[in-house]
Amino acid sequence: SLSMFTLLFSPTSSSFIALFFFLMIRRPPRSTLSSSSAASDVYKRQEYGGPWSLLGMEIEVLPGPAGRTRFRTVTGHSEMVEDYDQIVQQLYCRKTRSISGLGKHGAWTVEIGDPEMDAVADSNGGLMFKASSNNPIFARYDTPRAFEWRVRNLSWPAEVYSVEVDPEAQQIVIRTSNKKYFKRFGVPELLEIGLELEPESISHSFNMNTLVIHYEKPVEVLNLLATRREKYLEALAGVPQAEPGAAALMGGPAPEGGDPNNCKQQ
């Protein structure tokens, strides 16, 4: 009857309260997931996962800056370029960027090499201002046997700096005893293959207002680097000599005026 319905589902009845909370905590059925949510899940699974995840991908060889060789690898949702010397031994630059499902490219992220400094130009193309060069500048570099990081524009004496491993976060931590500078960072190449940081592999030095940190590459990384170098050399050997730029790729003269530290997109 109407009176019974009113009693059971009136705002003051316990039945109404129980029904209300049931509806609030009830999860929607899986069938209600939208296609956009599913597409987002697929996108996340295909994002750039690190340099080792691209070892099996097709490689494109391009002329790089200052006579170097650029290797470009593209997946469904990411792009990576690496600039090497002409014998594919020294890595000078690595940049990555995302690619949306509609083919739109994101901004480049410099993983190895000089950071790209923001600058603003006037209507005539003249430089108006750029980021101050007096602030500490953190950048990562690479050597054949070690990972390398540099922090420039540090004005304090060498004895104030300490570099250590945070074993829980698996990060390298830079501190100063005067509490003027602090930085923590990971090593993606190690995280990607599940290797932990080893404190004994770290060394650092300070000279000319620059803190230089080295981490000796473990044998597992050296083996992966050797595999990648073989694939790059195979791709380089497949470049026809008659193709424009092939002379530069195979050891021709570097272009005049090239900056050996340039890591900007050409």
Side-chain angles (χ1 to χ4, degrees):
S1 65
L2 179 60
S3 59
M4 181 63 70
F5 178 87
T6 304
L7 177 62
L8 289 175
F9 295 97
S10 64
T12 58
S13 69
S14 59
S15 300
F16 175 86
I17 296 173
L19 178 62
F20 176 80
F21 279 102
F22 173 77
L23 293 175
M24 287 292 292
I25 66 174
R26 178 176 175 267
R27 294 178 61 189
R30 292 185 180 273
S31 59
T32 61
L33 290 175
S34 65
S35 58
S36 61
S37 297
S40 177
D41 291 341
V42 172
Y43 172 80
K44 291 177 181 178
R45 290 195 299 269
Q46 294 181 351
E47 285 181 333
Y48 171 71
W52 312 133
S53 65
L54 304 180
L55 279 177
M57 301 297 178
E58 184 177 352
I59 300 167
E60 181 181 5
V61 183
L62 302 168
R68 299 171 185 159
T69 304
R70 171 164 292 179
F71 299 96
R72 177 175 180 262
T73 309
V74 181
T75 67
H77 291 281
S78 63
E79 177 181 1
M80 180 183 79
V81 295
E82 291 189 323
D83 294 342
Y84 275 84
D85 60 5
Q86 295 169 353
I87 61 173
V88 195
Q89 188 69 39
Q90 175 63 54
L91 173 62
Y92 289 99
C93 177
R94 178 196 296 152
K95 298 194 295 184
T96 61
R97 64 179 176 179
S98 62
I99 305 175
S100 71
L102 299 178
K104 183 178 179 180
H105 292 79
W108 285 109
T109 297
V110 178
E111 296 187 355
I112 295 175
D114 288 331
E116 296 180 342
M117 307 300 291
D118 294 331
V120 176
D122 60 22
S123 58
N124 296 320
L127 183 65
M128 295 177 62
F129 65 88
K130 63 180 180 179
S132 172
S133 60
N134 295 323
N135 296 324
I137 299 175
F138 176 86
R140 180 183 161 182
Y141 300 92
D142 194 78
T143 72
R145 307 294 300 185
F147 304 119
E148 180 181 288
W149 299 266
R150 297 186 184 186
V151 188
R152 299 190 182 98
N153 299 337
L154 296 173
S155 57
W156 310 291
E159 58 268 18
V160 307
Y161 304 99
S162 67
V163 181
E164 57 190 19
V165 168
D166 181 342
E168 294 186 2
Q170 281 300 296
Q171 292 178 326
I172 298 174
V173 182
I174 305 172
R175 289 187 175 91
T176 58
S177 58
N178 59 9
K179 299 183 179 180
K180 296 292 186 178
Y181 185 81
F182 178 85
K183 179 76 175 180
R184 60 168 62 238
F185 54 93
V187 186
E189 288 86 348
L190 301 184
L191 293 173
E192 188 178 350
I193 58 178
L195 292 181
E196 294 187 354
L197 290 167
E198 300 290 345
E200 59 271 17
S201 297
I202 297 178
S203 62
H204 71 279
S205 60
F206 183 79
N207 191 31
M208 301 292 292
N209 292 345
T210 301
L211 179 66
V212 180
I213 303 167
H214 285 107
Y215 186 93
E216 185 179 352
K217 294 176 179 177
V219 63
E220 294 88 346
V221 170
L222 294 175
N223 290 338
L224 287 169
L225 288 172
T227 299
R228 183 167 64 186
R229 183 172 185 268
E230 290 177 2
K231 292 184 178 296
Y232 281 175
L233 290 173
E234 290 175 2
L236 188 59
V239 177
Q241 288 295 309
E243 184 175 323
L249 289 174
M250 300 303 290
E256 294 183 2
D259 179 2
N261 295 318
N262 183 23
C263 188
K264 294 181 172 59
Q265 175 70 6
Q266 300 299 303

